[in-house]
Amino acid sequence: MLENSRRIEASDLVLGARFSEPLFFDDGINMFLATNHPLRQHHLDSLYRWNIPHVVTAGYELLFPLEDFQSDVFRAEDIPELESVG
């Protein structure tokens, strides 16, 4: 089993969800979904078809894709200077 892993019920997974660490099948050994890859309908269908009740991960669900934080989108020089008022 994965160290510091947590269990996520298959019924709680939603389309498009991304995780900071890979998701593993309920055995904790075989990878189900890679880091930062969105869950697609075929993933959810597979869990149902194979009667997999839950997956495990050492990560957490991402609210934004990882590349948003790994790019230079938030460079200070791109922020316009504020004009003083008065």
Side-chain angles (χ1 to χ4, degrees):
M1 192 67 131
L2 294 171
E3 258 185 66
N4 300 321
S5 66
R6 65 185 187 91
R7 178 178 164 155
I8 302 171
E9 298 301 317
S11 60
D12 291 338
L13 295 170
V14 296
L15 284 176
R18 296 170 186 252
F19 293 85
S20 64
E21 296 292 330
L23 292 182
F24 291 84
F25 284 102
D26 54 353
D27 63 6
I29 298 169
N30 295 298
M31 191 169 69
F32 172 66
L33 187 71
T35 300
N36 199 36
H37 283 240
L39 271 167
R40 304 281 188 216
Q41 187 62 50
H42 67 91
H43 296 119
L44 299 175
D45 293 344
S46 296
L47 291 175
Y48 178 77
R49 185 174 50 253
W50 298 332
N51 199 27
I52 306 293
H54 65 272
V55 294
V56 294
T57 185
Y60 53 88
E61 186 173 352
L62 297 170
L63 299 178
F64 303 99
L66 281 178
E67 52 268 7
D68 285 356
F69 302 103
Q70 296 172 341
S71 69
D72 59 354
V73 170
F74 301 108
R75 295 182 310 185
E77 59 267 18
D78 291 338
I79 300 172
E81 290 189 34
L82 295 175
E83 294 180 25
S84 60
V85 177

